[in-house]
Amino acid sequence: MKDFVAGLPKCELHLHIEGTLEPELKFELAARNGLELPYSSVAEMRAAYTFDSLPSFLTIYYESMRVLRTEPDFYDLAMAYLRRAAEQNVRYAEIFFDPQAHTSRGVPFDVVIRGLRRALMDAETQLGVRAQLIMCFLRDFQAEYAMATLLESLPYKEWIVGVGLDSDEKGNPPAKFAAVYERARQEGYLLTMHCDVDQDDAIEHIRQAVEDIGVNRIDHGVNILEDQRLVETVLARGMGLTCCPVSNGFVTGSLKAEGIRKLMDLGVRVTISSDDPAYFAAYVQENLLALHDALQLSREELAQLQRNAFEIAWLPRHVKDAYVAEVDAYVAG
Ligand SMILES: [Zn+2]
């Protein structure tokens, strides 16, 4: 089964590019930019990756980003992920980036996006991996800052397929960003949003995202199972949920595998992604294997998770069809 998963054509839709910053690259970028890190070795840095909640993860996550300063830094970050993705036969990825995590510490927006964009272009020609960018707003910052970031992104609209919402959900409901999302929709961006696992008011947040904001899909969102009406709405709209089992394990103590199984059985378009693989020590392939260990998934079910992902990907119909045909041919072969 390990070989089957390795060769399966994959689609990753929930991946924070800042969450792919491996310790080795962190040291390299720190040296490049003349910065000191509070760790003497890669092993010591990895040993500090002990998270038991979303906030405890976010503290180390944001602290680490200080090493990202220049356009080549962002290029190297994205290229490193895309190389790993290519090795795992990821055929297509939609990649989150958090501009405010950088502009808030003085790195210009255009430095961030130009570096990422150049890597995406090179990966397509050099590695055969296609990818698009999703711009996320940090929900623990003011809505006005998100709106300003949205406006700042407009000259680069052709390089960004949609918007998302991440960071600490506690006390930061979707409704806080209703005006930002409305403007994003008017500008032609597609819409997604984190509905993190086991949050306070999780169901009300999912309801706001689905019914009030009208997002095209949901990142995480497994708590939707607690509300039959919302499950029916998501099914009726053919919406997808981008689940991340290993990440769930770190921040909630459970992969939420049973919930994922239930969603699959109901016919919800569930997909499996890695979220922040450098911090959770698992890229998409390891996430699929962890879920398989928990649920004993069949080959057909593992293939269906990839079909789901290509189906809900923000791509033209004929491109999706070509990727789904790759999955079908792999399974048949
Ligand atoms: Zn995430």
Side-chain angles (χ1 to χ4, degrees):
M1 194 56 93
K2 205 172 172 186
D3 290 343
F4 176 80
V5 171
L8 190 60
K10 298 177 193 68
C11 176
E12 176 148 64
L13 301 178
H14 186 153
L15 182 279
H16 302 266
I17 200 64
E18 292 88 352
T20 69
L21 179 54
E22 292 284 353
E24 291 81 359
L25 183 58
K26 214 182 283 181
F27 275 105
E28 194 183 320
L29 297 179
R32 183 187 292 175
N33 292 313
L35 298 167
E36 287 282 332
L37 292 174
Y39 309 100
S40 62
S41 68
V42 164
E44 198 184 307
M45 189 182 287
R46 277 195 208 283
Y49 291 177
T50 52
F51 322 109
D52 54 7
S53 65
L54 185 57
S56 67
F57 160 68
L58 290 171
T59 301
I60 288 190
Y61 181 62
Y62 290 124
E63 195 269 336
S64 301
M65 289 184 208
R66 293 184 306 117
V67 301
L68 294 160
R69 306 287 279 266
T70 66
E71 193 261 15
D73 298 344
F74 287 93
Y75 175 89
D76 290 348
L77 173 69
M79 214 47 190
Y81 163 70
L82 289 159
R83 266 188 224 105
R84 292 289 283 263
E87 284 166 16
Q88 297 202 342
N89 207 22
V90 172
R91 305 286 294 119
Y92 173 71
E94 285 172 8
I95 298 178
F96 296 132
F97 71 112
D98 282 325
Q100 292 165 286
H102 313 299
T103 56
S104 62
R105 55 189 178 85
V107 178
F109 185 97
D110 73 309
V111 164
V112 179
I113 194 154
R114 285 180 190 283
L116 298 176
R117 169 73 181 180
R118 194 159 60 82
L120 264 56
M121 294 296 95
D122 282 355
E124 190 163 342
T125 54
Q126 295 170 20
L127 306 170
V129 181
R130 183 170 175 164
Q132 299 197 87
L133 293 172
I134 299 174
M135 176 174 70
C136 283
F137 306 112
L138 299 184
R139 68 198 308 161
D140 40 0
F141 286 174
Q142 295 298 315
E144 290 75 12
Y145 188 8
M147 185 65 94
T149 301
L150 176 66
L151 298 179
E152 199 170 9
S153 77
L154 296 181
Y156 306 97
K157 214 156 78 169
E158 297 307 310
W159 294 356
I160 302 169
V161 67
V163 299
L165 186 69
D166 60 10
S167 203
D168 195 357
E169 188 166 330
K170 192 176 168 66
N172 297 298
K176 176 178 166 184
F177 297 90
V180 178
Y181 268 70
E182 189 46 45
R183 178 64 188 268
R185 187 202 313 275
Q186 286 167 13
E187 296 292 345
Y189 288 120
L190 292 164
L191 312 178
T192 188
M193 183 179 283
H194 278 54
C195 291
D196 274 290
V197 177
D198 293 349
Q199 293 289 308
D200 295 348
D201 306 319
I203 280 298
E204 171 57 15
H205 287 191
I206 295 171
R207 194 203 61 73
Q208 289 176 13
V210 172
E211 294 183 346
D212 300 345
I213 309 262
V215 292
N216 301 95
R217 67 181 189 229
I218 295 172
D219 301 309
H220 298 297
V222 73
N223 294 89
I224 197 170
L225 285 163
E226 296 156 29
D227 189 306
Q228 183 60 28
R229 193 174 56 92
L230 285 173
V231 171
E232 279 163 19
T233 303
V234 160
L235 278 169
R237 293 188 197 169
M239 287 172 64
L241 269 61
T242 64
C243 296
C244 308
V246 177
S247 165
N248 294 344
F250 270 89
V251 301
T252 73
S254 161
L255 301 180
K256 302 295 176 188
E258 297 308 324
I260 292 170
R261 157 115 266 162
K262 212 170 280 176
L263 288 165
M264 290 170 70
D265 291 346
L266 288 166
V268 176
R269 285 169 163 165
V270 188
T271 77
I272 299 302
S273 293
S274 65
D275 209 1
D276 301 286
Y279 293 90
F280 305 140
Y283 284 77
V284 65
Q285 190 164 305
E286 291 77 25
N287 271 272
L288 286 165
L289 289 170
L291 191 68
H292 172 66
D293 281 347
L295 298 177
Q296 305 306 312
L297 297 170
S298 66
R299 287 177 179 225
E300 179 48 36
E301 286 167 331
L302 287 160
Q304 186 57 37
L305 288 168
Q306 301 314 314
R307 288 191 201 101
N308 288 350
F310 287 120
E311 279 297 332
I312 66 161
W314 290 340
L315 287 168
R317 185 69 251 172
H318 70 281
V319 180
K320 296 184 197 207
D321 288 344
Y323 283 127
V324 170
E326 275 187 39
V327 174
D328 293 343
Y330 179 75
V331 175

